[in-house]
Structures are given as C-alpha cells and as structure tokens.
Amino acid sequence: MERTKVRVYFSLFGDTFPLDYVTEKLGITPSNTYTKGDIITHLPTVLVRQETCWELDTGYQESLDVNDQLQQILAQLQNKVFLINEIKMNYSVECKIFIVAEIEDGDTPAIYLDRDVIRFASIIEAEFDIDLYAYPYEESNDVLFE
C-alpha cells in the first residue's frame, strides 16, 4: 500500500544569474539547477526553460507532517538570509518555497507554517506554492450500509 509523501523545495529563480556563484556563496550544493534556454528533455514535446533556477529539495518522503520537511530546508538556509537577500538584490531573482503532498488513501498531512518558517519567508520575501495530489482511496469490500 502506498503511503502519503511530502516534498519541500526552495527555489531561487530569475532571468539569468550565475548558478556556480550562488552555490559558492551559500556554501550549499543544490539539488537541481537549470539555465534559461535549456531544453526540457523528459517531456513528450520539446519545451525550453524560461528562467534560470537554483533549487534545494528534500525529495519525496513518507510524512504526515509538512513541517518535518520544511524544517529540513530551513535548517540549511535559516542562517543564510543575508546572503540570499544579497543574491536577490544583485541578480533580480525571486524566492519560492514549494510544498508538494501526494496524499494516499485519505491520509492528509498536517499543513502549517510555524513562526520560524514564516519569519524566514518574510525576511527573504519568499512566496509559498502548495500542491496537493489526492489519489483514490483503496476500494474496500466492507459494506458500510445495508
């Protein structure tokens, strides 16, 4: 039986900016990067990236509490707010925190933002993007009503 999974990732994105510089400045190896103009190869049609992006990602993890994954990202970035804001100012980039939940069999994760997450997002002026994917319940042979 599949379990509910949560993925959280932080993204710095904009027109063009030096990805290696951001990696060096933050002292963190990104989970993913791409550059404006890159071709997206894993789709059936040819698409081209419209922006440059540096991401830090938890990957999908079995979880019923989004805060667990948020804290993993926050632990790596919380003391880097000055550097993030410097990068934003110098390269006109934006910040976004993505929360993605794949809900299995109705097991919805707790979704809340604690003070530390809100403070961090506020200081770097990050937006939140929350996607919920609810998959069908397992069919049961039990009769609920007769």
Side-chain angles (χ1 to χ4, degrees):
M1 181 170 116
E2 291 289 319
R3 301 266 188 192
T4 294
K5 294 183 274 302
V6 172
R7 171 187 180 205
V8 170
Y9 61 104
F10 169 83
S11 178
L12 276 168
F13 61 95
D15 190 46
T16 58
F17 60 95
L19 295 168
D20 290 339
Y21 171 80
V22 172
T23 299
E24 182 182 320
K25 189 80 166 165
L26 295 178
I28 299 171
T29 301
S31 306
N32 186 35
T33 62
Y34 53 84
T35 303
K36 181 178 181 177
D38 287 353
I39 295 174
I40 303 171
T41 58
H42 63 277
L43 299 175
T45 59
V46 176
L47 293 176
V48 176
R49 298 281 185 188
Q50 299 300 308
E51 62 194 10
T52 299
C53 183
W54 184 100
E55 292 177 345
L56 186 61
D57 193 340
T58 65
Y60 281 103
Q61 301 173 358
E62 284 187 16
S63 179
L64 290 175
D65 188 343
V66 166
N67 201 46
D68 293 343
Q69 285 68 41
L70 282 167
Q71 292 304 318
Q72 291 173 34
I73 296 296
L74 196 63
Q76 296 179 69
L77 295 174
Q78 192 169 23
N79 65 344
K80 312 268 185 189
V81 294
F82 177 78
L83 298 173
I84 292 168
N85 282 332
E86 183 180 313
I87 292 165
K88 285 182 61 185
M89 185 178 67
N90 291 340
Y91 297 102
S92 299
V93 298
E94 299 292 326
C95 298
K96 192 176 283 192
I97 299 168
F98 294 84
I99 299 169
V100 184
E102 290 187 349
I103 301 165
E104 295 287 347
D105 202 30
D107 289 333
T108 307
I111 300 174
Y112 64 95
L113 307 174
D114 70 18
R115 283 186 201 113
D116 291 339
V117 171
I118 293 168
R119 187 176 303 114
F120 171 74
S122 176
I123 293 169
I124 64 169
E125 298 180 319
E127 295 180 356
F128 286 91
D129 186 323
I130 301 172
D131 294 320
L132 305 175
Y133 300 98
Y135 297 113
Y137 288 79
E138 294 271 330
E139 290 198 28
S140 174
N141 292 330
D142 297 340
V143 176
L144 299 176
F145 302 102
E146 293 191 35

